[in-house]
Amino acid sequence: MVSGEQIDSPFTIHHMSVNIQIDSISKKYADVMALNNISLSIKSGELFGFIGPDGAGKTSLFRILTSLLLPTSGKASIGEFDVVKDYKKIRQNTGYMPGRFSLYLDLTVEENLDFYASIFNTTVKENYELIKDIYVQIEPFKKRRAGDLSGGMKQKLALSCALIHSPHLIILDEPTTGVDAVSRMEFWELLKKMQKMGMTIIVSTPYMDEAALCDRVALMQNGNLLAVDTPNNIVKSYKGSLFAVKAYNMHKLLDDLGSLGDTSQVFRFGETIHITSTINDDKVYMESVNKQLIDKGYKDISIHKVNPVIEDCFLSLMDKDVE
Amino acid sequence: MKAFIKKEFFHIFRDYRSMVILFGMPLVMVLLFGFAITNDITNVRIAILDNSKDVVTNQITQKLISSGYFILEDNIESQNDIEKIFTEGRVKEVVVFEADFARKLKTEGKAHVQLILDASDPNTANIISSYTTGVISSYSLELMSQTSMIPVKINIESRMYYNPELKSVYMFVPGIITILLMLVSTMMTSISITREKEMGTMEALLVSPLKPIQIIIGKVMPYTLLSFINLIVILLLARFVFMMPVAGNLVLLIVESLLFILMSLALGILISTISKTQQQAMLLSMFALMLPTILLSGFIFPVENMPILLQYLSHIMPSKWFIIIVKNIMLKGTGILYFWKETLIILAMTLFFIGMSVKKFKIRLE
């Protein structure tokens, strides 16, 4: 049990449970429904991802969880604290990294970190162990102004700032958006490390490939939850067999594949087009597609079966949601 | 808290725009108002239409010319020449003495001078007329004491006001102090708070355990100090560049100014709670505050001459009351007894704005 008095004293991350309960939360702006009756729970110690495009409602949900916004209806709690009633306690124990890195661009790296440490009544020294792994990478630039840092560096600094008060729970809103691929991978390794230290991590991202790195993910679209499960289970639940098709004249191919029989999903996936068969016999389906394409005059046709990834699942769930 | 204030100073000193507003503005404004936009006049070209040509009119003419304000462009002979000399643009003023000026003055005890002014620039016309009136009046006083005759009266036909001793810079300094304190305190605080909103750092401040009052004080402290430095700079400029003394109690002036600074800061915070962007905050401070401060506070235009509606409006301008206080202390040298009401008004406004901004300061987004 953690009482109000104990909150202010230094705590060990490992012993506080921060199960998160989100109960039919809705948020309405003027006439836009940003969140539509969202319910889910996140277990203490989980690395949980919210995956969805811009406008899915991820930021609104995060702001409600960090007590920055009031939900239009519904309830949410972190551990035993209600996000509306106990907002002061929530703020004390939550690290939040907003979508726009909230750094003071005219302050240096060091000054930013010192400032954030001091507003949480702590010092960089006190919690240095916690941010060491991240901070060593930006330390050479500590005299540089935050505005002059690269995207990846800014992101690491912002994460250090969000971590400096050793929160039990850290909420990261699109931390990897606008950051190069290498920095993105490094960043996820850092998150894994933090999770091992006992922190509960909630992260949002528009990048589907990052979903596989989370323990569990929630797929979101237009304020609705499409699915909540482990990345594996979501992939497994994909209905039908998925095939990647390639040929000349990709643009026309997309249209022609759309008019094929026995086919449910057709969408572009990188260099290929993914189609989903609605019949059980893969061989029969592939031959039938091949034949129809030859009839239409296509050359160099390649069709092969692929395993679905999160993006396929997302697109298929999205279609269903629209229907 | 200390860290917050330190951070705020970093912001100010690293942003050259705020530095310019903070320290360039007072210098530029004081010097500009003091030297360039001056109401003092020199070397105004005038013409004399002397219908009397006696000793007295001659002496008055000499007085006018030797005053340093006027240059005699021409002596004209008839009423008809007046229009001509104005249309040619050669003079700004024609001084007309009536016939038998000296005799009338002696026998009837009064005589008439008519001042005809080129009012295409009404302000200048006003000032020229007051200066002329001033010179003639001082002459008539002189005449009285010399001859010790029964009071003589030289009637001057002029609708203009008389304010000879007041150099314009004396009038401007209280106004400039007011404007600058307001500008620095209100605009800079409101901008610096809305900048946090715009940059997204407000989100981070809000999720921190900082209380609203801590954020507000952290924001306000540096600007209080800087406004105070500004006040000292202006007073020094007034004293040593324009030789304008502070007639009253300097400590009282500083205390009253601190109160006004506090009020402006509270107003700045209030503005920041209702504006979303820096630009909005700036426009609000500029148009909702600066213009009324300049126009309605009695700084440039006397409140008494305004339409009733505007007079009422000027009552809610904090700057109006502060200018009265500053003028009292700096020019008249009076003490708190003469402006305790004004002080109370500002105090009440301060409390009102602080209360409002603490109440309106949002602990959440939206």
Side-chain angles (χ1 to χ4, degrees), chain A residues 188-219:
Chain A
W188 277 93
E189 278 162 27
L190 286 171
L191 292 187
K192 289 277 185 198
K193 241 181 221 166
M194 283 154 46
Q195 187 192 11
K196 284 208 186 81
M197 293 165 86
M199 244 176 247
T200 309
I201 300 166
I202 302 179
V203 60
S204 73
T205 176
Y207 303 116
M208 305 285 166
D209 54 331
E210 291 181 347
L213 302 166
C214 302
D215 295 340
R216 284 197 304 148
V217 292
L219 304 186

Side-chain angles (χ1 to χ4, degrees), chain A residues 221-226 315-323:
Chain A
Q221 159 84 1
N222 291 332
N224 291 314
L225 272 186
L226 303 179
L315 290 167
S316 110
L317 289 165
M318 214 169 97
D319 273 5
K320 265 183 215 147
D321 186 52
V322 171
E323 281 157 25

